[in-house]
Amino acid sequence: MLYIKIQELHKRKFKVAQIAKELKISRPTVYKYLEMNFDEAKAYTEQPHGRKKKLDSYKDWILAWLEEYPHLSGAQIHDWLLERYPDLVVGGSTVRSYVKEVREIYQIEKKNIVRQYEAVPEQPMGKQLQVDWGETKQKTINKKELKLYFIAFVLAHSRQKYMEWQTRPFTTRDAIRCHENAFQFYGGRTEEIVYDQDHLITVSENAGQLLLTSEFQSYVNERKFKVHLCRRADPESKGMIENVVKYIKGNFADSRVFSDIEDWNYRALQWLQRTGNHQVHQTTKKRPAEVFLLEKQHLQPVSSLLSYESTNNKSITRSVSKDNTIRYKSNRYSVPLGTYQTNSENLVFIEVKGEEKQTLVIRKQAVGEPIAEHAISLGKGKLIQNRNHTRDRSKGIEEFKQRLISFFENQNQAAAYFDEMSHRYPRYRRDQFAIIHRVIQQYPTSINSVMTKCVVEKLYSANEFRDIAYHLHTTIHQPVQEMESLYSNPVKHSNIVASTRSLNTYTSILGGRA
């Protein structure tokens, strides 16, 4: 395509510089294609040429992404490659150069978006955290569109970021919960936190006199941080978090397909570790994750539980995931199977007991009986599961096996046979037993003979059991039917009577004498 466009413009008497400007390519590229014929240009673009490039093996993926989403940046392509190939080691400049070359060859134009950045004074370590909310529309795996909501945090000094997503608009309680999760993520809090004049946290602001919502005011009183509200229509005063929100929308969320909220939040944390907090910041020229290691020492520690929540009758709530777990301090804790219901709010109340050895108590009602208790883990990313909360998968199969054994006269033989079958096909026991059950229903009089035959011949597959049953059944019944067919007269010949002749007739024919 590029070759054809260059040749067309050249025939129209365009100069090389004009062709390069029109097609947004370099002049050496124009000279190179003008010296080729069509077959040479085709071979040049389709086959490796010169020194093999590191990203040639991933060219098909990059080209497919650019053709479907032409607006993708080199940074997004870099992140998508790392997500699909975690072991790939490649620099951002290498990816950008390669993406630029692919765009030139296949004439995939990108619409340039100019970003405006506001220079802000450098904040000391541990001084300021900026917070803002955002929303996006994402394509789902079912080809539908869903609106998602997120809250974003960024430390003003190191630019270390954090975010959480949910499928419904945020409430004040959601905001408090996410603040707590952010403090756990950072390992402490800053002296002040910067916000927009959002209805979740403020009622009004009059010449510097702040009036916060009652629930958020209680939270501020507990955590004892300063609240800094920006003036209305003044995004420059919190330009860092504004850029973070744009970064999340434009890099992480853009063109990413949504499956469920747990998976989405997990992928968001992976993106922060891989890209959001790992890539060099364009302003500081440093990696946020590396600077954060120093700033973390200047953060003020926070307790593991809010005291006002533990005494408040509203208590702390957690959402139950569809895998019947809740999240607490970066870990998952199990609840009894069936706690999650499709058409309900799926909220439970949690309480932390003890000082040295803390226990997490989970209730369906704020003052109800506990449905689960777990020792709180000090690790992160772990699943703490009570065995009583899991399905006993062996129980149903064991009952099925005992029911099959009861159909046989020699039950000890049958039990040994099914035990051996289970040993040979551990993952397909239920399927094997289901085939045996159908055989029992189809050939009930033959199953004891079939069992003996299979044990003698050491045939421990349900399919072999079925084949033996069919063979024995046909062997018993088919010969009888065949003998009956040999000695029975067909209906259409039943009235025919054979003629008889005397012995003299045959003697005369043979030339003998009577």
Side-chain angles (χ1 to χ4, degrees):
M1 185 182 299
L2 179 61
Y3 172 83
I4 294 173
K5 289 185 176 181
I6 291 174
Q7 295 295 334
E8 287 178 349
L9 294 176
H10 183 63
K11 290 178 181 178
R12 291 165 56 187
K13 305 302 182 182
F14 274 60
K15 295 180 180 180
V16 171
Q18 292 174 320
I19 296 175
K21 184 177 180 180
E22 177 70 17
L23 299 181
K24 297 181 177 60
I25 58 178
S26 64
R27 282 179 290 179
T29 301
V30 178
Y31 283 117
K32 179 172 57 181
Y33 279 95
L34 286 175
E35 294 172 357
M36 298 180 183
N37 58 36
F38 181 81
D39 293 334
E40 291 173 342
K42 184 178 180 182
Y44 177 82
T45 57
E46 293 180 349
Q47 298 178 3
H49 50 276
R51 185 170 60 88
K52 182 176 176 61
K53 296 186 177 179
K54 189 171 186 177
L55 293 176
D56 283 344
S57 302
Y58 311 95
K59 180 179 178 180
D60 291 340
W61 278 111
I62 296 173
L63 180 59
W65 290 333
L66 290 175
E67 287 180 340
E68 187 170 359
Y69 311 110
H71 62 281
L72 289 178
S73 65
Q76 287 175 270
I77 295 292
H78 189 191
D79 178 65
W80 286 20
L81 284 172
L82 293 177
E83 182 177 26
R84 184 170 290 275
Y85 305 100
D87 297 330
L88 176 63
V89 179
V90 63
S93 60
T94 302
V95 177
R96 289 193 296 272
S97 299
Y98 195 84
V99 169
K100 181 180 179 181
E101 183 179 66
V102 172
R103 286 187 183 276
E104 284 187 0
I105 294 174
Y106 294 92
Q107 283 295 279
I108 303 174
E109 184 178 356
K110 179 186 177 183
K111 186 176 180 181
N112 292 323
I113 300 174
V114 179
R115 290 187 175 184
Q116 299 294 334
Y117 294 94
E118 179 72 17
V120 295
E122 187 69 23
Q123 295 291 331
M125 293 186 181
K127 173 67 176 179
Q128 187 182 94
L129 178 71
Q130 296 189 5
V131 183
D132 202 1
W133 288 261
E135 58 185 58
T136 64
K137 288 184 178 180
Q138 303 297 144
K139 293 291 184 181
T140 67
I141 56 177
N142 300 322
K143 305 299 182 183
K144 297 181 180 179
E145 195 172 68
L146 177 69
K147 181 177 283 190
L148 296 180
Y149 305 84
F150 69 93
I151 183 172
F153 301 79
V154 61
L155 289 173
H157 180 82
S158 64
R159 270 68 166 184
Q160 182 82 344
K161 307 165 195 66
Y162 177 73
M163 61 175 160
E164 276 195 46
W165 295 75
Q166 57 187 45
T167 55
R168 54 180 171 78
F170 277 80
T171 64
T172 303
R173 177 159 295 184
D174 292 328
I176 293 174
R177 170 177 54 79
C178 292
H179 275 67
E180 289 298 293
N181 293 339
F183 293 159
Q184 294 297 326
F185 177 81
Y186 290 125
R189 67 162 179 83
T190 55
E191 293 181 19
E192 70 174 10
I193 304 180
V194 179
Y195 303 94
D196 253 340
Q197 294 192 29
D198 193 278
H199 69 282
L200 297 179
I201 61 174
T202 61
V203 176
S204 67
E205 184 224 5
N206 183 16
Q209 296 294 321
L210 306 181
L211 181 59
L212 305 180
T213 60
S214 59
E215 197 168 6
F216 196 76
Q217 183 65 61
S218 298
Y219 178 65
V220 173
N221 294 340
E222 172 71 15
R223 287 305 186 205
K224 296 181 174 59
F225 57 81
K226 297 178 182 178
V227 175
H228 176 84
L229 287 185
C230 299
R231 296 181 179 181
R232 294 188 183 277
D234 183 24
E236 289 79 8
S237 57
K238 58 179 183 64
M240 294 179 193
I241 191 62
E242 292 284 345
N243 289 331
V244 169
V245 170
K246 292 178 184 178
Y247 188 29
I248 292 172
K249 289 182 178 181
N251 191 297
F252 170 74
D254 186 19
S255 307
R256 197 179 292 270
V257 179
F258 176 86
S259 57
D260 61 71
I261 194 62
E262 288 83 8
D263 172 72
W264 189 262
N265 273 310
Y266 175 72
R267 293 166 73 185
L269 291 176
Q270 283 188 317
W271 177 85
L272 286 173
Q273 182 179 5
R274 181 182 64 244
T275 300
N277 292 326
H278 178 73
Q279 298 296 333
V280 175
H281 195 276
Q282 293 300 311
T283 302
T284 64
K285 304 301 181 184
K286 299 176 182 178
R287 299 185 190 276
E290 295 176 356
V291 183
F292 172 68
L293 294 177
L294 296 176
E295 185 175 16
K296 185 177 181 179
Q297 303 173 21
H298 296 265
L299 298 177
Q300 301 184 20
V302 294
S303 60
S304 61
L305 185 65
L306 294 170
S307 60
Y308 87 89
E309 284 189 317
S310 61
T311 56
N312 195 334
N313 57 7
K314 291 183 179 180
S315 190
I316 308 174
T317 60
R318 287 292 188 273
S319 296
V320 180
S321 303
K322 61 183 179 182
D323 60 354
N324 288 284
T325 61
I326 66 164
R327 291 185 178 271
Y328 178 71
K329 295 180 69 173
S330 303
N331 291 313
R332 292 184 298 153
Y333 295 84
S334 67
V335 294
L337 208 65
T339 304
Y340 177 85
Q341 300 293 327
T342 305
N343 298 319
S344 67
E345 193 174 11
N346 291 310
L347 288 179
V348 293
F349 297 82
I350 66 172
E351 179 184 357
V352 176
K353 291 185 176 181
E355 295 182 1
E356 294 184 1
K357 294 183 178 180
Q358 292 186 322
T359 302
L360 180 66
V361 181
I362 307 173
R363 296 181 172 88
K364 286 288 288 184
Q365 304 296 331
V367 293
E369 290 293 323
I371 62 172
E373 293 187 13
H374 297 279
I376 294 179
S377 172
L378 299 179
K380 290 187 177 182
K382 295 184 177 180
L383 170 63
I384 294 85
Q385 192 172 44
N386 188 327
R387 287 189 174 274
N388 296 331
H389 298 165
T390 60
R391 182 184 295 109
D392 187 358
R393 293 171 174 82
S394 62
K395 184 177 180 181
I397 297 178
E398 188 63 29
E399 290 179 352
F400 194 9
K401 184 178 75 172
Q402 294 300 326
R403 186 152 56 93
L404 293 179
I405 292 173
S406 66
F407 287 105
F408 296 87
E409 293 180 359
N410 190 342
Q411 296 191 359
N412 291 332
Q413 182 188 60
Y417 181 80
F418 289 129
D419 287 342
E420 180 63 23
M421 180 180 289
S422 300
H423 176 71
R424 295 192 180 196
Y425 305 98
R427 293 180 57 193
Y428 303 97
R429 289 177 297 167
R430 187 178 296 277
D431 297 330
Q432 293 281 316
F433 292 163
I435 295 174
I436 298 291
H437 187 250
R438 288 196 293 269
V439 172
I440 292 173
Q441 292 177 325
Q442 191 171 2
Y443 310 112
T445 60
S446 306
I447 59 172
N448 292 304
S449 301
V450 175
M451 176 62 72
T452 302
K453 179 72 173 175
C454 287
V455 171
V456 172
E457 300 292 338
K458 296 183 179 181
L459 305 174
Y460 293 100
S461 165
N463 292 324
E464 293 171 333
F465 189 95
R466 179 193 58 203
D467 294 341
I468 294 295
Y470 175 77
H471 174 72
L472 291 179
H473 178 77
T474 54
T475 302
I476 293 172
H477 296 88
Q478 188 173 356
V480 176
Q481 295 174 357
E482 290 177 353
M483 293 297 291
E484 289 176 352
S485 64
L486 289 174
Y487 292 102
S488 60
N489 293 322
V491 176
K492 63 180 181 178
H493 302 305
S494 60
N495 296 325
I496 299 176
V497 178
S499 60
T500 58
R501 297 175 183 178
S502 64
L503 184 59
N504 294 332
T505 304
Y506 294 103
T507 303
S508 62
I509 294 173
L510 297 173
R513 295 181 180 180

